[in-house]
Every structure is written in structure tokens, then in C-alpha cells.
Amino acid sequence: MKGRGVSFMENVGKWHHGVPSAEELQQAMADLDAALAERTVEMIKSEGGTAIAHGFDATREKDCKGLIDAAVDHWGRLDFLDNNIGIGSRGSVVDEKPEEYRRVMQVNVETMFLLSKHAIPAMIKTAKGGSIVNISSVLGLRGAAYAMAYCASKGAVRTLTKNVALHCAFMKYNIRCNSVHPGYIDTPMIGPALAANVGNMSGKQWLEELHP
């Protein structure tokens, strides 16, 4: 069986143990910047995969529903949703601005709620089940003295995931929901921290020390 899904991943690897490989997956790659979604599609195609690009604003429910509808219209079914959306903020509990806190919570948490809200009915209708993966963070488990809003949002993603999983189990929807909690990854969002020195440590060494 081939999987059709909506994904926000930058890299797609090989899948094993009965799960479709990257070449078998059919994906809709979405990003606020449509050009970045197109770039990711080209990466997938270069490895033999199949994907389409979709530009959208995940903070708008209409756009979230439109993305799910576009994937189903194109592929005929929806098997998985990968919620990999996030922005950062380094403010502490004392100096974080309320408007920045609300912005981080909207982008990092509310978007996953909106996409899951519309993906679940589509999975039930078109595939009789499916899988949702929400990308949280190591900071959603351990917290930090800085980045209060980011830590709170990623902790919320973890609990949202549990709620979705329990709801789907209670309703017998045959839909799994799991969260992934990666450490620091060399991305544009982390780039400035990697380039900076902290005391007598490089940014990379300092970030590695923060892992539990």
C-alpha cells in the first residue's frame, strides 16, 4: 500500500519493516514560503520520491483545511500527517512580551491542533485510519531558563499529542498520534546560537551540554 500524506519535513529517509520507502510515499509538502516547499519537493524527487508543493499559512484554519483537501484531491486519500512547524523566542518568564508569547503558542501549538482537526476526518473517510506525528523538542521535556514561550509551546505539543491519541483510541479511529522530541539541530533557527561563543565553549559545545 502506498502512503499519501501531508508533511513539513526537510529530509525524507528510507522506511523499513513494512512501512513505505521514500520512493513509495506520495506527499504534499507545505510551507508558508511556497518556494521552500518547492525546494523540498525537488529534494524528494531527486531521491526517487513523489511530492507536490503547497504554500499556506498554518495559523489560518481555512488554509489548514485547504491543505488537507488539496492532498486528498490530488492523491485520493490521506494516511499520515507530519506536523513540523515551529518558531523560537529567547525571552525569559520575566522579560518575554505577552504578544510574543501568544505568537509562539499560535504557531507552535494551535497550527498542530488545526491541521489534526481536519486531517483526522479525512483519514477516517479515505484511509480508514492513519498516523499523526507532531514534532516537539527536547525543551518540551526538560525546559530551560531561557526561551520560556518556546519551552511552554513544545510541552503543550507533547500533551496535545497525548490528547489526540487518547481521543482517537476512545473513538476507535485506528489513528496513531505520537510526538518526537529532538535535540538541537543545525537549522537556520539554531544557526546564530551555533556561531556564538558562550564563556570558554563554542556554541555547539554549549548546546550539547543542554541535552538531558
Side-chain angles (χ1 to χ4, degrees):
M1 181 183 73
K2 293 185 177 180
R4 284 81 165 178
V6 177
S7 182
F8 304 89
M9 297 179 67
E10 283 284 335
N11 299 290
V12 179
K14 304 288 185 181
W15 293 42
H16 303 284
H17 306 297
V19 182
S21 69
E23 290 83 358
E24 295 174 309
L25 292 173
Q26 296 173 313
Q27 302 174 80
M29 309 304 296
D31 198 291
L32 180 63
D33 185 339
L36 291 179
E38 290 282 1
R39 188 180 72 178
T40 306
V41 166
E42 292 306 313
M43 292 168 58
I44 294 171
K45 288 181 177 179
S46 70
E47 297 186 4
T50 304
I52 58 172
H54 192 93
F56 86 129
D57 183 346
T59 64
R60 299 176 179 173
E61 182 175 7
K62 180 177 69 173
D63 283 19
C64 291
K65 183 179 184 303
L67 172 61
I68 300 300
D69 290 345
V72 171
D73 289 345
H74 193 88
W75 303 121
R77 61 187 288 163
L78 184 71
D79 295 281
F80 67 88
L81 168 68
D82 173 30
N83 280 319
N84 191 354
I85 307 173
I87 58 174
S89 179
R90 293 186 57 81
S92 72
V93 67
V94 173
D95 57 32
E96 183 65 282
K97 297 179 180 179
E99 58 270 25
E100 181 66 7
Y101 175 85
R102 288 190 289 269
R103 185 177 78 95
V104 171
M105 295 298 288
Q106 180 185 30
V107 173
N108 293 5
V109 186
E110 185 177 317
T111 56
M112 297 193 186
F113 149 62
L114 291 174
L115 285 161
S116 298
K117 173 184 175 67
H118 292 288
I120 289 171
M123 289 178 179
I124 296 167
K125 181 178 180 179
T126 66
K128 309 301 181 186
S131 177
I132 298 172
V133 177
N134 295 324
I135 307 302
S136 179
S137 167
V138 65
L139 293 184
L141 298 173
R142 67 180 299 279
Y146 60 96
M148 180 275 296
Y150 183 82
C151 293
S153 71
K154 291 303 184 176
V157 168
R158 180 171 180 261
T159 308
L160 171 66
T161 300
K162 291 178 178 290
N163 173 268
V164 172
L166 290 170
H167 171 73
C168 290
F170 179 79
M171 299 300 294
K172 302 185 185 303
Y173 283 160
N174 193 34
I175 296 175
R176 303 186 310 276
C177 187
N178 297 281
S179 58
V180 179
H181 300 260
Y184 293 93
I185 300 173
D186 188 359
T187 65
M189 188 168 71
I190 297 298
L194 289 172
N197 290 323
V198 181
N200 61 352
M201 293 189 295
S202 68
K204 182 176 185 294
Q205 291 172 321
W206 179 68
L207 290 175
E208 288 175 346
E209 289 290 326
L210 296 176
H211 287 71

